[in-house]
Every structure is written in C-alpha cells, then in structure tokens.
Amino acid sequence: MSSAGSPHQPRPVSSNTTYALAAVAVVLIGLIVFAAFRWSEEPPGVRNDGYGPVREAAVEVTVSPEGVIRLGRPDAAKSIDIFEDPLCPACGTMETSYGQELAQKIDEGKLAVNYHFVAFLDPQSKSKDYSTRAIAANLCVAQTGSGPTYGEFHEALFTTRQPEEGRDDLSNPALATLATESGAPESVALCIGDSAQLDPARAAAATALAELDARTDNKAATPAIYDGTTKIDWTNENWVTDLAP
C-alpha cells in the first residue's frame, strides 16, 4: 500500500474512456427501467368480459376414475389439460383473465377442459387442508353432471371467492353454500358438508401431482396447461383463440 507521501498519482481518464463508461451507464439504466416495467405490468386483462361461466345445457361434467374432472360437450373438437391448486394465486389470475373466454369455447364445442387438481398449497392455507377440501367440493359438484352448475362453481372458487394464501379460507359449510348458489341440489351440499369426497380428493391430488411432476421433471407449478404433450404459455393473451379459433 502506498504511504501518504507516495508520488503515485491516478492517471487522468481519457475522453474515449469517459464516453464508453457513459454508454455503459445508459445501457444499464435502460435495462433497469425495462426490468422495473416488466415487473410492474398489470395482470392480463379479462378476455371476453361479460360472457360469464359455461351456460349451455349440452355441456356436461364427468369425473374419471383418477379424479380428473372433464367439462365440455361429449363431442368437443379438442380437449386440453389444466393443472390447478384451488389456493394458487396465479391460477386465480389465469381463471379471471381467461375463464370466460374458455367458457364460450366450451359452450361452442370447440374445447373441453380436463381439470387436474393438486393440493401442494394445503400447508399455506389457514386450515392447513383447504386445497384438498376444495378439491373434494369440486368432486361433489361434478356429480351433478351439469356443466353450467359446475362451471359457475369453479369460476367462483378461483375468482371472487378464492382465499388468500395464509389468510382465511372457506369452511365446508361455506363451500356447500357456494355450491347451492351455483345451482347444485341439497345432496351436493350434504356431500361437501359430510366430507364424503375427501379421501377420493386426496387420491386425485396425489395422482395429479405425480403426473405434473412427470411432465415437468419434478418442477411442478400451477397453473399448467397442456394441449396433448405441448405446454401452453398462458401469459400469451391469445392462447385460447390459438387453440380454438
């Protein structure tokens, strides 16, 4: 280290160096501004706003032995797979933005949706089992066979009635009330209140998570949307119309 009396003097910076440093600074500032803009972007706008959930009586809801819930006309032209956790905020954003557009395509017979529900956010819920209980409620509502009833229940569950992680969540009586408000009969409310589908919900969630892990090399995240084996980028605002013009 040089002493206080050292004759060493810093070299003056050349004009070329000054210009180069200034150019780098401008580029860095631009990147920072761009990053800030990207992180502050609003969620996607609501597509097809005003359409609402599925409305056509010809739309059916069925449940596979593995607990996959299919919403669509029996002769739908295309089926897609959507993996969701009922507590997942991004799933709520996706449903809020694209749920009504999907509903119209389902009504028209252009799409059917296979809903695969996972429950890895159970520990993040206040009750510590909300995701699983909500999946059980979905299974109860799906037993009606009515596409419009299930569509209305599913839409509310992921949009206006979706709880926040770590905060309050919906009790079984609240889920049962939501089902009847969606048009389900009292038998469905009893199914939810009695936790009749809780064990099937646990099994379905485990199966769905295993499948999603297999598709993503054990990096499961929701929402995840697939057209066959092709993963769909749901942040592309035209993804629904790209699948079903």
Side-chain angles (χ1 to χ4, degrees), residues 191-214:
C191 175
I192 296 172
D194 292 343
S195 300
Q197 290 293 316
L198 198 59
D199 286 341
R202 291 192 184 104
T207 299
L209 182 58
E211 182 178 347
L212 186 56
D213 277 338

Side-chain angles (χ1 to χ4, degrees), residues 30-198:
L31 289 173
I32 292 170
V33 169
F34 175 76
F37 170 77
R38 291 290 298 174
W39 283 107
S40 64
E41 281 184 326
E42 293 295 321
V46 178
R47 304 274 291 188
N48 211 14
D49 193 15
Y51 187 86
V54 165
R55 60 179 71 163
E56 294 294 332
V59 175
E60 300 176 356
V61 58
T62 59
V63 183
S64 77
E66 296 76 26
V68 178
I69 296 176
R70 180 188 186 275
L71 181 64
R73 290 176 180 262
D75 58 350
K78 178 189 287 285
S79 294
I80 61 173
D81 296 283
I82 298 182
F83 291 80
E84 297 180 312
D85 186 305
L87 195 61
C88 160
C91 298
T93 298
M94 188 275 290
E95 291 289 350
T96 298
S97 296
Y98 301 105
Q100 296 181 80
E101 192 170 38
L102 277 172
Q104 183 171 4
K105 300 299 183 182
I106 292 171
D107 278 339
E108 293 171 349
K110 294 181 178 179
L111 282 179
V113 176
N114 299 315
Y115 289 107
H116 306 248
F117 292 107
V118 298
F120 49 58
L121 290 179
D122 263 344
Q124 305 304 319
S125 67
K126 187 175 181 180
S127 63
K128 304 305 180 187
D129 65 352
Y130 172 73
S131 294
T132 300
R133 289 190 297 104
I135 296 168
N138 273 273
L139 292 173
C140 288
V141 176
Q143 290 179 351
T144 65
S146 168
T149 297
Y150 180 77
E152 186 166 340
F153 178 79
H154 179 273
E155 180 191 62
L157 196 70
F158 278 90
T159 59
T160 57
R161 300 297 299 277
Q162 188 185 47
E164 293 183 41
E165 284 187 62
R167 300 176 70 86
D168 199 15
D169 55 39
L170 301 181
S171 64
N172 281 357
L175 288 166
T177 297
L178 181 58
T180 55
E181 290 173 350
S182 301
E186 187 61 28
S187 59
V188 169
L190 291 174
C191 175
I192 296 172
D194 292 343
S195 300
Q197 290 293 316
L198 198 59

